[in-house]
Amino acid sequence: MEQNVDVRIRKTLRAMRLLSEKANEIVERCGAEVGVICYAHDAVSPLFHGNPSLKAVVERHNAENPRTSLETIEALDQALANIVLENLSPHELRTLRSSLLSFHEKLANNNNQA
């Protein structure tokens, strides 16, 4: 059984690497901005990939597709529910914390402006 899990993890990591490579290929060929978020399973850390950066792609998407703060918070809650913190490296945890703090500040600023 453990062998099957190891094989599945290797296949998942390979597929996630291929997703990143394909995203980069789209950027190179088309000059597009690309963002990829992939949650595989508990044994593999999520893939967060963006060009020029995931943050830039998400901010552009949000600017072109405005939603209410409540919808944004609900989407964030759903995304966070899928993250298994125990599987994240210390660097990934710091990055996630920084992103969440930045997101919190934006929400606070948007609510103050409304």
Side-chain angles (χ1 to χ4, degrees), residues 1 18 22 28 59 63 68 70 82-83 86 100-101 103 108:
M1 171 110 173
L18 289 172
K22 289 296 180 184
E28 290 173 15
E59 286 177 348
T68 66
L70 181 59
N82 292 324
I83 296 175
E86 293 82 16
L100 291 173
L101 288 172
F103 183 72

Side-chain angles (χ1 to χ4, degrees), residues 36-112:
V36 177
I37 301 173
C38 180
Y39 295 97
H41 50 77
D42 292 348
V44 178
S45 296
L47 165 69
F48 300 100
H49 176 84
N51 195 315
S53 71
L54 186 57
K55 180 180 177 181
V57 174
V58 170
E59 286 177 348
R60 179 174 178 186
H61 170 76
N62 288 344
E64 294 175 3
N65 301 287
R67 301 186 302 179
T68 66
S69 292
L70 181 59
E71 289 173 325
T72 305
I73 291 170
E74 289 171 354
L76 178 64
D77 284 343
Q78 289 174 351
L80 290 175
N82 292 324
I83 296 175
V84 179
L85 296 177
E86 293 82 16
N87 293 337
L88 298 179
S89 70
H91 173 72
E92 290 169 324
L93 286 169
R94 285 190 299 275
T95 301
L96 178 62
R97 182 180 187 278
S98 174
S99 297
L100 291 173
L101 288 172
S102 174
F103 183 72
H104 180 269
E105 289 172 9
K106 282 185 181 181
L107 281 178
N109 289 337
N110 288 343
N111 288 336
N112 289 338

